[in-house]
Amino acid sequence: MTKSILLTAALLAGTAIGASAETLRWARAGDSLTLDPHAQNEGPTHTLAHQIYEPLIIRDMTGAFEAALATDWAPSEDDPNVWVFNLRQGVTYHDGAEFTAEDVVFSINRAKKERSGMKELLSSIVEVRAVDDHTVEFVTDGPNPILPSNLTNLFMMDSGWAEDNDVVDVQDVDGGEKTYATTNANGTGAFKLVSREPDVKTVLSRNDDYWGMDQFPMEVSEIVYTPIQNAATRVAALLSGEVDFIQDVPVQDLERVDNTQGLLVKTAPQNRTIFFGLHLGPDDIDNDNVEGENPLADVRVRRAMNLAINRDAIKQVVMRGQSEPAGMIAPPFVNGWTEEMDSIETDVDKAKSLMEEAGYGDGFSIQLDCPNDRYVNDEAICQAAVGMFGQIGITVNLDAKPKAQHFPLISSGGTDFYMLGWGVPTYDSEYIFNFLVHTRGEDRGSWNGTGYSNPELDAKIESLSSETDLEKRDAMIAEIWEEVQDEVLYLPIHHQVLNWGMTEQVGIEVSPEDDPKMKYFTMN
Amino acid sequence: MLAYIIRRVGQSVLVLLVVGLVAFAMFHFVGDPIDNMLGQERTQADIERLRVQLGLDKPFVVQYWRFLEQAAQGNFGLSYRQGRPVAEIMIERLPATLELAFVSGLMALVGGIALGIFTAINRRGVSANVVMTASLIGVSLPTFLIGILLIYVFSVELGWLPSFGRGEVTRIGGWTTGFLTESGLKALILPAVTLGLYQMTLIMRLVRTEMLEVLRMDYIRFARARGIREKSINFRHALKNTLVPVVTVMGLQVGSIIAFAIITETVFQWPGVGLLFINAIQFVDIPVMAAYLMMISVMFVGINLIVDMLYFAIDPRLRADRTTGGH
């Protein structure tokens, strides 16, 4: 009861005082999975954590680096394997403890432990050492020019708080106990946790002692975050004025929201490309009607399929204009992207003659595996593609299923033709190559379901991580892309577009990572 | 009597065990939780490690045995999705579902009986026919459509009622209730109507048919001949005799109200066990799915057991059969 009175009081206060005390009621489809900042490497989980916790470096709403808990960072002049980070001084956690170099060492080590969901991003780090209270050195297993981009979701925890509450380790999901950090949080961020009921409601209030009070707008004084799973209900909540800001606006409702008085939709390209993968490695595949050979192994067939996809039609009909047709599997802001590679024409006649040339003039049939609850209109895209491949004689049998059944197929090699979407959190092509192009092995290639293996290319990809001459490195990236494009490893479809719906009072631009950071919001 | 009860309880336990076994055999088809639990950057080694750690590499019978072993000690494990104990999450979510089921059940019962009597008494009236026609909507429209329709009319267009959630809830011990705040009561209306509409029309049609049947009986005719007031005939004599089948049907419907709540809860983001179950399926959160299915089957089996025992108490033939030994 008292809580509800307090909340009402806070709401009333919000309307009375104006810009300095504004509640932002925020809804999106899913909730954060846990408050433990190192347990899950997942979008909605990181987005909530970003309000409460902070990494050393963040990406601002345009995707550019911005100093957070580190003020500056550079490779060491003495040793190419070392990065030096200077930490911000006078920063305190919500419980009053001071943020020091010791916390950085603790947090990185915690995130490197086996049960952490963040450890892969830190695999190149050998040691983290505190030089003094506000200087930290990261030692890597070789020169690592893009280390900072791996740290933008790596949150800093207070080592003292973690010890006091017995959360030095990340939670053990199996048979373990619930840990304190799963439902409690103590960060340095712009907002403090007030209350949380998982899947129901999370309330945060502004941290008035935040170090960036003068640097950022900081106009939101309270955040009420409610996951609303059903898309129609989520839109209805915005239309009826029960929430101020929603993510994941369904494309069919965009016009309606935009045409409503007092509401607007903002749109920006998302850091995610949707494409088809082709199982081109083996000599024969299971899910086709060609005996004894693999039609996908022939690069002419792959080129023909690439030419057969009418990306503009998919954009207009399936996506209602909400996509950017893609010719490569990297979104435009990723290092290595070029406009030339990203544009591709549809040419059915040329595709047909390529099929003829390859000896498949009469076509063949193959099964396409698609998720139906993961990407925007995923199943509809696949349906449209079925018709397009039909034009060049390829009979595609579509098998659409929930993501929990679809993705294991890619990991296990149980699919020969599949849809996948890929975001690039590091904004660098190396990330794409590591997961999607490198031969599938222990450390790399875990999402490469194509069976493609090119030792020469693998060597180039591996050398990227330690190439410190950035010009030379960019040239190598371009070389690798040329090979990937030439071989048509994947059939790119489009870059997804993000839509946020909001009331006119809310001032914010859409971030490519779909991770609103509320300290940047203005409220008029 | 005792032997009969023991036998029935034994059968119920067996049914529960079989339900659990079938459930665990099915989880395999829902998908694989590993990809949901690990991020995009996971390596093949991570997948293998977690699979072994969670026992997912074992056959489902072994997984089921492990679940039973721990459940017998009151430990339902940790949710894969939330990392919190399943029992804690279920207890947290149950009040929302039970309150919703209670309100919509009550609404269905009261509204259904009232409308049933009304349409039976005014059989040829215009308004009764309108109600009868309108009731077809309740039977034929799917729940999620009714829910979205109600949201658009009452939340978006009229702005009277909230479109999602439970409003402000009050905590009393381990229970949370929305009955004590205005926003809590307002939030209950749309989901309760959505969930209860089908049951209400069902009860209404049942009461009407029964009532029409009873009103044709001789004792009603004689009562009229004796000059007893119409009101007394309708409510004291006729209604009482129609209620027996209504109570039976309502008892059977209690279970389905809670089961149907899954759809209503998803549409209205109602934080009950149904929404929890939907989320669990999407994530392949096996501990939560297992606990939910066990809970629902315990409930259904429990209701059946009680009904069986009631029959035993009510029906003398059953009893006589047992006491004489029969064969």
Side-chain angles (χ1 to χ4, degrees), chain A residues 65-102:
Chain A
F65 280 150
E66 174 143 17
L69 287 178
T71 48
D72 52 273
W73 53 92
S76 164
E77 281 165 19
D78 314 322
D79 184 347
N81 294 356
V82 172
W83 274 87
V84 184
F85 286 77
N86 288 314
L87 306 183
R88 195 174 292 281
Q89 310 216 355
V91 175
T92 55
Y93 288 93
H94 297 159
D95 70 353
E98 201 193 334
F99 165 71
T100 61
E102 191 199 337

Side-chain angles (χ1 to χ4, degrees), chain A residues 41 120 171-172 199 233 431, chain B residues 41 46 53 81 83 267 269:
Chain A
N41 187 5
E120 284 82 12
Q171 180 181 31
D172 179 3
D199 282 343
T233 313
Y431 185 89
Chain B
E41 284 97 359
D46 287 328
Q53 198 191 347
R81 199 169 78 90
V267 172
Q269 192 67 26

